[in-house]
C-alpha cells in the first residue's frame, strides 16, 4: 500500500471499529467477533505507526469525552475577514488577470482554525465573528477525518470547513425531537461543533476539509502545492481546480454540474491566487482580503402556481406542509413540490391555493418557495390528521408554530417507525422497503 492507500484504509478502519464499539457498548449487539475486532484494531495501530498519523476519533486513542461548562473565547492573532462576493463569472476573470488561480468549493459549514505543535493537534478555534472565536479543541478531536497526530513536527496552522453531509443530516435530524431539529446541515454542524459535551459531537460525524495553510511549510510559495502537502499529512482538503483566465468559465460550469452529485452543502466557490508571495504583497482592504473572492451561485428562479398544500404526518407525529405547484424546470430537473417546513412559514408567506409564487433550489439542490406574489392565504392547517383522523394540535416553540397528530397509534407514525426500524441505520433488514411496509 502506498501512503495515500494507507490513509484511506485507516479512515475505513476507524469508522468500522467505532461503529462496532458503539453497537457493543451502547446497544448491546455485536457487529463483529472479538477476534475480528482485535485483528482490525492491530491493523490500525500498525498503520498509525507506519504513517506517523493518528486520525481524530481513532479507537486507539482513549480520549475520554469531556463536558465543558462553557466554550472559552479566543482572540484570533489576525482578524479573519470574509471574502468579497460576486455572482458574475466576468468579475472572477478580471480578478484573476494573468495569475494562476485555485478555484474550490465554498463549503457551507463552520470555519475552524487548527493549530498543531510538535505534530499534535493542540487547539481548534471557530471563526466566530472573525475577531474572537470559541475554543472547540475537545470537540475537534472527535471529527471523523481530522488527524490528531501528524508526521510534520514544526508549528502548523490550517483553516478548514467543518461540515455534516446531507445524508448524515437527515439521519441525525430524524432522531431528534421536533423542537431540537435543525433546519439545515450547517445549523446542525454548528450545533454539533459548538457543544459542551464532546460525546455528542462524536456522534454527529463531523468532517473537516482543509482549505488554507496559515503557517507551516514556509518555503513553499504555492497554495495548491500546500494543499497536496496537507493531503500527504493525512488531512482531507477541499476539492479544487487549477484555473487560468481562459478556462475559468469551464471550471465554474464543472463545479455547477458537480454540486448535484455531492453529499455536502456548498453555497458557491472560492477563487484565490495560487502565488503566496504575490497574495501577501496585496494586503487587505478594511473589509476584504485582496487575494481571494467568493462566487455565489446565481439562483435560477421560476414562477409557478400553487395547486395544493399537502399536510404529511411523519414518524414523530409532526405534520409537515408541502407546497404542490405546476411543474417547472429548475437547474435541469422538473420540480413540482417544496417543503414549507412548518405552519409559521405557511402563515408568513400567506400561501393560498392558486397563488403565484417564485421557486428556486437552495444551493442548487433543495426546492424552496421564495416569494408569494399574490398572497391569498394562508390556508388553514388541517383540524384532523388525514391518516388517522385524530384532532391535530398546534404547538408553538421558540422559533416556529408546528402542527401535530397527537395519536401515538397513528398508522403514519407506526408505518414510519417500522420503516425506520428496518432501515440500514437500525436493524438493516434487507427487502423490507417503505413500499412493502405500506402494503
Ligand atoms: Zn394521525
Amino acid at each position: 500500500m502506498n501512503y495515500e492507500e494507507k490513509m484511506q484504509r485507516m479512515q475505513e478502519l476507524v469508522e468500522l471499529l467505532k461503529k462496532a464499539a458503539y453497537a457493543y457498548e451502547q446497544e448491546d449487539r455485536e457487529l463483529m467477533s472479538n477476534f475480528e475486532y482485535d485483528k482490525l484494531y492491530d491493523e490500525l495501530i500498525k498503520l498509525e505507526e507506519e504513517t506517523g498519523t493518528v486520525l481524530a476519533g481513532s479507537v486507539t486513542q482513549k480520549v475520554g469525552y469531556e463536558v465543558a461548562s462553557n466554550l472559552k473565547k479566543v482572540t484570533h492573532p489576525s482578524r479573519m475577514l470574509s471574502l468579497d462576493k460576486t455572482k458574475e463569472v466576468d468579475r472572477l476573470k478580471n480578478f484573476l488577470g494573468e495569475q494562476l488561480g485555485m478555484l474550490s468549493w465554498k463549503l457551507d459549514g463552520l470555519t475552524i482554525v487548527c493549530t498543531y505543535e510538535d505534530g499534535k493537534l493542540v487547539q481548534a478555534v471557530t471563526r466566530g465573528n472573525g475577531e474572537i472565536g470559541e475554543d472547540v479543541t475537545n470537540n475537534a478531536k472527535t471529527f471523523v477525518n481530522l488527524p490528531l497526530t501528524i508526521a510534520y513536527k514544526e508549528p502548523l496552522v490550517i483553516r478548514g470547513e467543518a461540515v455534516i453531509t446531507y445524508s448524515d443530516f437527515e439521519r441525525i435530524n430524524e432522531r431528534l425531537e421536533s423542537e431540537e431539529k435543525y433546519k439545515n446541515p450547517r445549523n446542525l454542524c454548528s450545533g454539533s461543533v459548538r457543544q459542551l459535551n464532546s460525546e455528542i459531537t462524536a456522534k454527529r460525524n463531523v468532517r473537516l476539509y482543509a482549505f488554507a495553510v496559515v503557517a507551516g511549510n514556509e518555503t513553499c510559495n504555492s497554495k495548491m502545492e500546500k494543499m497536496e502537502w496537507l493531503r500527504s499529512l493525512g488531512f482531507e482538503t477541499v476539492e479544487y481546480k487549477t484555473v487560468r483566465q481562459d478556462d475559468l468559465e469551464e471550471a465554474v460550469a464543472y463545479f455547477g454540474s458537480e454540486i448535484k452529485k455531492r453529499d455536502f452543502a456548498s453555497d458557491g466557490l472560492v477563487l484565490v491566487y495560487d502565488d503566496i508571495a504575490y497574495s501577501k504583497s496585496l494586503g487587505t482592504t478594511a473589509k476584504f482580503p485582496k487575494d481571494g473572492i467568493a462566487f455565489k451561485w446565481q439562483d435560477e428562479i421560476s414562477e409557478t402556481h400553487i395547486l395544493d398544500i399537502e399536510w404529511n404526518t411523519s414518524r414523530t407525529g409532526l405534520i409537515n406542509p408541502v407546497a404542490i405547484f405546476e411543474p417547472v424546470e429548475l437547474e435541469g430537473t422538473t420540480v413540482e413540490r417544496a417543503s414549507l417546513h412548518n405552519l409559521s412559514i405557511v402563515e408568513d408567506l400567506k400561501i393560498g391555493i392558486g397563488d403565484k409564487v417564485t421557486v428556486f433550489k437552495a444551493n442548487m439542490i433543495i426546492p424552496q418557495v421564495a416569494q408569494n406574489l399574490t398572497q391569498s392565504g394562508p390556508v388553514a392547517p388541517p383540524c384532523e390528521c388525514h391518516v388517522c383522523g385524530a384532532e391535530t394540535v398546534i404547538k408553538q416553540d421558540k422559533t416556529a408554530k408546528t402542527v401535530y397528530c397527537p395519536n401515538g397509534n397513528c398508522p403514519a407514525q407506526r408505518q414510519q417507525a417500522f420503516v425506520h426500524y428496518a432501515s440500514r441505520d437500525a436493524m438493516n433488514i434487507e427487502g423490507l422497503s417503505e413500499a412493502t411496509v405500506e402494503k
Side-chain angles (χ1 to χ4, degrees):
M1 273 196 276
N2 65 28
Y3 186 83
E4 211 151 273
E5 285 164 349
K6 282 179 183 170
M7 296 302 296
Q8 206 177 353
R9 179 62 183 157
M10 276 166 61
Q11 279 205 14
E12 277 170 24
L13 288 171
V14 166
E15 249 171 79
L16 211 59
L17 291 169
K18 256 168 72 179
K19 258 193 203 161
Y22 184 82
Y24 185 72
E25 287 160 17
Q26 310 286 331
E27 297 169 349
D28 223 15
R29 58 196 183 98
E30 272 184 37
L31 296 183
M32 58 179 77
S33 67
N34 282 341
F35 176 77
E36 198 180 349
Y37 185 92
D38 290 345
K39 203 178 83 185
L40 297 176
Y41 189 95
D42 290 343
E43 185 187 349
L44 178 60
I45 288 200
K46 191 162 158 273
L47 288 171
E48 286 178 349
E49 281 168 8
E50 282 172 19
T51 58
T53 305
V54 178
L55 295 175
S58 169
V59 287
T60 63
Q61 306 297 298
K62 295 274 180 265
V63 263
Y65 294 124
E66 304 211 22
V67 179
S69 55
N70 65 333
L71 296 174
K72 206 173 75 197
K73 300 267 184 280
V74 178
T75 306
H76 293 293
S78 60
R79 224 172 124 210
M80 290 173 71
L81 299 166
S82 47
L83 294 172
D84 197 3
K85 300 178 187 67
T86 182
K87 288 191 169 187
E88 311 299 329
V89 178
D90 279 345
R91 213 168 135 220
L92 293 184
K93 283 188 182 169
N94 287 337
F95 167 87
L96 192 55
E98 297 301 304
Q99 287 289 318
L100 184 67
M102 166 177 155
L103 183 69
S104 64
W105 296 115
K106 185 171 186 297
L107 297 179
D108 194 14
L110 199 64
T111 301
I112 312 271
V113 186
C114 298
T115 304
Y116 290 78
E117 279 168 17
D118 198 24
K120 300 252 185 281
L121 174 68
V122 292
Q123 193 183 50
V125 178
T126 63
R127 178 182 180 279
N129 62 6
E131 264 175 88
I132 297 168
E134 287 170 322
D135 187 326
V136 293
T137 313
N138 289 334
N139 300 338
K141 286 180 179 169
T142 71
F143 291 175
V144 183
N145 62 343
L146 182 69
L148 292 179
T149 306
I150 53 174
Y152 181 73
K153 302 299 172 199
E154 304 296 309
L156 171 70
V157 181
I158 62 142
R159 287 182 188 171
E161 196 78 355
V163 295
I164 290 177
T165 60
Y166 282 118
S167 38
D168 281 334
F169 166 70
E170 273 160 31
R171 186 177 55 78
I172 292 161
N173 225 15
E174 176 163 302
R175 291 180 184 175
L176 296 175
E177 296 295 324
S178 57
E179 58 272 22
E180 297 177 326
K181 282 192 195 299
Y182 290 89
K183 264 199 293 197
N184 54 45
R186 185 172 51 76
N187 289 345
L188 175 64
C189 184
S190 172
S192 304
V193 173
R194 300 175 58 239
Q195 263 290 330
L196 297 178
N197 182 351
S198 63
E199 190 173 4
I200 296 180
T201 317
K203 290 178 184 163
R204 299 282 174 81
N205 259 354
V206 180
R207 316 188 78 90
L208 189 114
Y209 292 95
F211 61 79
V213 175
V214 181
N217 194 3
E218 299 303 332
T219 51
C220 171
N221 190 42
S222 155
K223 288 178 193 169
M224 287 183 280
E225 272 171 37
K226 282 199 178 179
M227 287 295 104
E228 293 314 303
W229 174 69
L230 281 184
R231 292 166 64 87
S232 78
L233 290 175
F235 292 90
E236 279 194 71
T237 58
V238 66
E239 182 188 354
Y240 66 86
K241 267 186 171 300
T242 308
V243 286
R244 290 274 185 196
Q245 202 175 41
D246 58 0
D247 58 14
L248 185 54
E249 197 152 359
E250 198 183 314
V252 170
Y254 162 81
F255 281 107
S257 65
E258 281 301 295
I259 187 169
K260 291 157 201 140
K261 302 177 200 158
R262 301 303 151 106
D263 197 14
F264 49 73
S266 149
D267 53 355
L269 303 172
V270 175
L271 177 63
V272 294
Y273 301 122
D274 182 57
D275 188 322
I276 295 170
Y278 176 73
S279 297
K280 281 189 180 150
S281 73
L282 299 170
T284 57
T285 65
K287 273 179 89 178
F288 305 116
K290 282 187 182 166
D291 65 330
I293 186 165
F295 175 75
K296 303 294 253 183
W297 305 116
Q298 193 88 256
D299 289 322
E300 198 182 303
I301 294 176
S302 290
E303 270 185 23
T304 182
H305 291 93
I306 297 288
L307 299 174
D308 194 12
I309 305 293
E310 272 180 17
W311 298 86
N312 295 330
T313 310
S314 72
R315 183 168 66 87
T316 55
L318 189 66
I319 302 181
N320 300 306
V322 178
I324 313 295
F325 42 83
E326 283 166 2
V328 284
E329 284 287 308
L330 276 184
E331 321 280 2
T333 57
T334 306
V335 181
E336 51 193 333
R337 47 196 296 136
S339 174
L340 294 168
H341 306 290
N342 56 52
L343 180 56
S344 298
I345 291 177
V346 172
E347 290 180 349
D348 292 347
L349 285 169
K350 296 194 178 65
I351 255 178
I353 310 298
D355 273 346
K356 188 195 264 187
V357 296
T358 58
V359 292
F360 71 105
K361 277 192 184 168
N363 291 335
M364 297 171 86
I365 298 192
I366 303 159
Q368 299 273 334
V369 174
Q371 273 184 301
N372 183 1
L373 304 172
T374 44
Q375 308 205 337
S376 73
V379 292
C383 304
E384 292 174 355
C385 168
H386 71 98
V387 177
C388 71
E391 203 172 304
T392 57
V393 175
I394 292 175
K395 285 192 198 170
Q396 168 80 56
D397 64 24
K398 270 172 280 168
T399 51
K401 259 196 256 179
T402 46
V403 189
Y404 279 88
C405 166
N407 174 11
N409 287 317
C410 173
Q413 299 187 41
R414 304 295 301 160
Q415 182 192 324
Q416 289 294 316
F418 278 129
V419 170
H420 179 70
Y421 179 78
S423 72
R424 232 185 63 178
D425 289 326
M427 296 306 288
N428 196 12
I429 304 173
E430 273 177 49
L432 192 51
S433 67
E434 189 156 359
T436 312
V437 172
E438 199 177 333
K439 243 189 252 167

